[in-house]
Amino acid sequence: MITIAVQAADFDTGQEIRQLQADRTDVGGIAIFTGQVRDTGDKPLGFMHLEHYPGMTEASLQQTAEQAAQRWPLIDIRIVHRIGDLLPGDQIVFVGVSSIHREAAFNACEFIMDHLKTHAPFWKKEYYRDGSTQWVEAKNTDQQRNARWDQHN
Amino acid sequence: MITIAVQAADFDTGQEIRQLQADRTDVGGIAIFTGQVRDTGDKPLGFMHLEHYPGMTEASLQQTAEQAAQRWPLIDIRIVHRIGDLLPGDQIVFVGVSSIHREAAFNACEFIMDHLKTHAPFWKKEYYRDGSTQWVEAKNTDQQRNARWDQHN
Amino acid sequence: MKILFFGNLREQLGTGEIELPLAPGTNNIAELLEALKQRGSEWQQALSAGSLLCAVNQTMATRDTLLEDSDEVALFPPVTGG
Amino acid sequence: MKILFFGNLREQLGTGEIELPLAPGTNNIAELLEALKQRGSEWQQALSAGSLLCAVNQTMATRDTLLEDSDEVALFPPVTGG
């Protein structure tokens, strides 16, 4: 089952994982990724604003999850992505994948993150404590990491 | 920091993840794997017994974590592995790795699981509901998966 | 036709959304971009980035994706979520 | 010398631990295995598996790892944790 949430509210990672485990005895492994707001740049970060494209965001995450489910034998996929203003250390994203086998869970989780990073319509803007701002630039390495999955086809 | 626990008691996955996130603003990504007791064989499973080699188990997990920390730029590594009698659906293992970058976190988490599966002195015995028992056989695929990391050196 | 702008592009253009009738000769995204560039120097500059992404009806599209007047088009810089 | 057995091997041998003085001519794991096989047919059979793993002083070892009388040796089948 695929569960997608795009929300301003924080999420409870433990609860998300319990949903993936819930009363099932065929789950062999669950691979999870969580991303947090980092404050490691030159200028101290005040907060980060996450802009998104309402409607398309949910559809894009759904499509990414469906591609993963076609590619690997998965049981459940849960994706939560936050929007709005987030503080350093705040959780941004949760991707959890359960499968009978750990290899499928690991691959699918990493695929979803790589695909999300290059396809889901989110944009980060950093607001520094000195009052200046900066849109986060997309990384070439994210494009390259996502391209690996095409080569493996 | 490396944290290792080998215990009969269950663990709180949410709490483990909060420890990895705790009050840090340099963590970009956390990759996690949890394994559960599966009941997908021909005979319904009553419970699974996890035997281990006290002393060596902890040392082995510590060495595995240290190898991962040498190989990738990691912040924290947490490994929890349960022993004793576990029911279908029970959690067996937690591996959590935090890093500035998600690629390092994913790779280290998968490496630790592959290494643990082939090096940590645990042995599983299945007790079926019909009264019969069976030691779980080591899988060749686990050896092959672990060997990948040597080739990548 | 509704055209949405996001992220840095929205700020550069000073607007997040415009309504526009689909003009004759504007059949795909590439031609729409050329038409929008005529709206002024900010538009000319902001819409020239080769890295610009586009979506039609909330699905990723390319420069040669064909357009209809009822479409919702979105233009935005490379995404940076996750 | 303390010798520990785990998992299926422990069950096959009917014991989890024996104490044994290191005999002359038993210098490494391979020679220890040969000496243990002399203890009876169960030992002969259980210790012949090529997949058997060994540890010396709680560190993974190989058939040619040298032994001292103060060592803690462990013999066990391939591990299946995780």
Side-chain angles (χ1 to χ4, degrees):
Chain A
M1 200 177 70
I2 294 171
T3 309
I4 308 285
V6 177
Q7 60 189 49
D10 197 9
F11 51 86
D12 179 341
T13 311
Q15 182 59 24
E16 291 298 324
I17 295 170
R18 277 189 292 278
Q19 294 285 342
L20 288 167
Q21 297 170 332
D23 296 326
R24 296 198 64 134
T25 57
D26 55 348
V27 174
I30 297 174
I32 292 150
F33 181 84
T34 73
Q36 285 74 233
V37 178
R38 278 195 293 153
D39 179 15
T40 52
D42 294 337
K43 293 191 275 189
L45 184 69
F47 65 96
M48 173 178 278
H49 180 77
L50 258 148
E51 179 172 332
H52 77 127
Y53 181 176
M56 180 172 167
T57 318
E58 292 82 352
S60 166
L61 296 176
Q62 179 75 27
Q63 283 162 16
T64 295
E66 284 169 4
Q67 285 185 36
Q70 279 166 15
R71 201 154 167 165
W72 293 282
L74 307 178
I75 297 170
D76 288 321
I77 301 173
R78 295 182 76 84
I79 305 177
V80 186
H81 201 297
R82 294 178 69 191
I83 51 175
D85 294 339
L86 303 177
L87 298 172
D90 275 0
Q91 302 186 111
I92 302 173
V93 63
F94 173 93
V95 173
V97 177
S98 61
S99 177
I100 293 181
H101 297 295
R102 77 180 187 287
E103 181 171 11
F106 269 120
N107 283 335
C109 188
E110 201 166 356
F111 167 84
I112 289 171
M113 276 307 301
D114 288 344
H115 211 254
L116 182 161
K117 283 255 175 194
T118 49
H119 287 73
F122 294 103
W123 301 272
K124 288 173 179 161
K125 187 175 183 179
E126 294 186 332
Y127 290 76
Y128 306 107
R129 288 191 213 156
D130 67 5
S132 62
T133 64
Q134 176 81 52
W135 286 95
V136 172
E137 296 257 340
K139 283 182 285 190
N140 282 334
T141 50
D142 283 331
Q143 289 290 346
Q144 288 157 9
R145 283 182 65 73
N146 187 59
R148 294 177 311 152
W149 300 106
D150 298 328
Q151 292 159 15
H152 287 308
N153 249 334
Chain B
M1 199 178 68
I2 294 170
T3 309
I4 308 286
V6 178
Q7 61 190 46
D10 198 9
F11 52 85
D12 179 341
T13 311
Q15 180 59 25
E16 291 297 325
I17 294 170
R18 277 189 293 280
Q19 294 285 340
L20 289 166
Q21 297 170 331
D23 295 326
R24 296 197 66 134
T25 58
D26 56 349
V27 173
I30 298 175
I32 292 150
F33 181 85
T34 72
Q36 286 73 234
V37 178
R38 278 194 294 152
D39 179 15
T40 52
D42 294 335
K43 293 190 276 189
L45 184 68
F47 65 96
M48 174 179 274
H49 180 77
L50 259 149
E51 180 172 330
H52 76 128
Y53 181 176
M56 179 171 167
T57 317
E58 292 81 353
S60 168
L61 296 176
Q62 178 77 28
Q63 283 162 17
T64 295
E66 284 169 4
Q67 285 184 38
Q70 279 165 15
R71 202 154 167 166
W72 292 281
L74 307 179
I75 297 170
D76 287 320
I77 301 172
R78 295 182 77 83
I79 305 176
V80 186
H81 202 297
R82 293 178 70 192
I83 51 173
D85 293 340
L86 303 175
L87 297 173
D90 275 1
Q91 302 186 111
I92 302 173
V93 64
F94 172 93
V95 174
V97 178
S98 62
S99 176
I100 293 182
H101 297 295
R102 78 180 186 286
E103 181 171 12
F106 268 121
N107 282 335
C109 188
E110 201 166 357
F111 167 84
I112 289 171
M113 276 306 302
D114 288 344
H115 211 254
L116 182 162
K117 282 258 177 192
T118 49
H119 286 75
F122 293 103
W123 301 272
K124 287 173 180 162
K125 187 175 183 178
E126 295 187 332
Y127 290 75
Y128 305 107
R129 287 189 215 156
D130 67 6
S132 63
T133 64
Q134 177 81 52
W135 287 94
V136 173
E137 296 258 337
K139 283 182 285 190
N140 282 334
T141 50
D142 284 331
Q143 288 290 344
Q144 289 157 9
R145 283 182 65 74
N146 186 61
R148 293 178 311 153
W149 300 105
D150 297 329
Q151 290 158 17
H152 287 307
N153 248 332
Chain C
M1 168 181 281
K2 188 198 273 189
I3 309 175
L4 306 173
F5 308 105
F6 290 100
N8 198 15
L9 182 63
R10 177 180 54 73
E11 286 191 353
Q12 287 172 315
L13 299 179
T15 181
E17 179 176 343
I18 61 173
E19 287 270 350
L20 209 71
L22 191 60
T26 304
N27 300 306
N28 60 23
I29 293 284
E31 289 167 358
L32 176 67
L33 283 170
E34 288 312 309
L36 290 173
K37 283 181 191 170
Q38 307 309 316
R39 295 171 74 96
S41 62
E42 288 89 1
W43 294 72
Q44 172 71 39
Q45 200 182 342
L47 296 175
S48 295
S51 61
L52 221 59
L53 298 178
C54 54
V56 175
N57 298 326
Q58 307 196 347
T59 299
M60 284 287 194
T62 56
R63 295 290 192 272
D64 57 5
T65 299
L66 295 175
L67 297 173
E68 296 184 30
D69 193 51
S70 58
D71 286 339
E72 174 179 302
V73 174
L75 299 169
F76 44 80
V79 302
T80 55
Chain D
M1 167 180 283
K2 187 197 275 190
I3 309 175
L4 306 173
F5 309 104
F6 290 99
N8 198 14
L9 182 63
R10 176 180 55 73
E11 286 190 354
Q12 288 173 314
L13 299 179
T15 181
E17 178 176 343
I18 60 172
E19 288 268 352
L20 208 71
L22 192 61
T26 303
N27 299 305
N28 61 24
I29 292 282
E31 289 166 358
L32 176 66
L33 284 169
E34 287 312 308
L36 290 173
K37 284 180 191 172
Q38 308 310 313
R39 294 169 75 96
S41 60
E42 288 89 2
W43 294 72
Q44 172 71 37
Q45 201 184 340
L47 296 175
S48 294
S51 61
L52 221 60
L53 298 177
C54 53
V56 174
N57 299 324
Q58 306 194 348
T59 300
M60 284 286 195
T62 56
R63 295 290 192 272
D64 57 5
T65 299
L66 295 175
L67 298 174
E68 295 184 30
D69 194 51
S70 59
D71 286 338
E72 175 179 302
V73 174
L75 298 170
F76 44 81
V79 303
T80 56

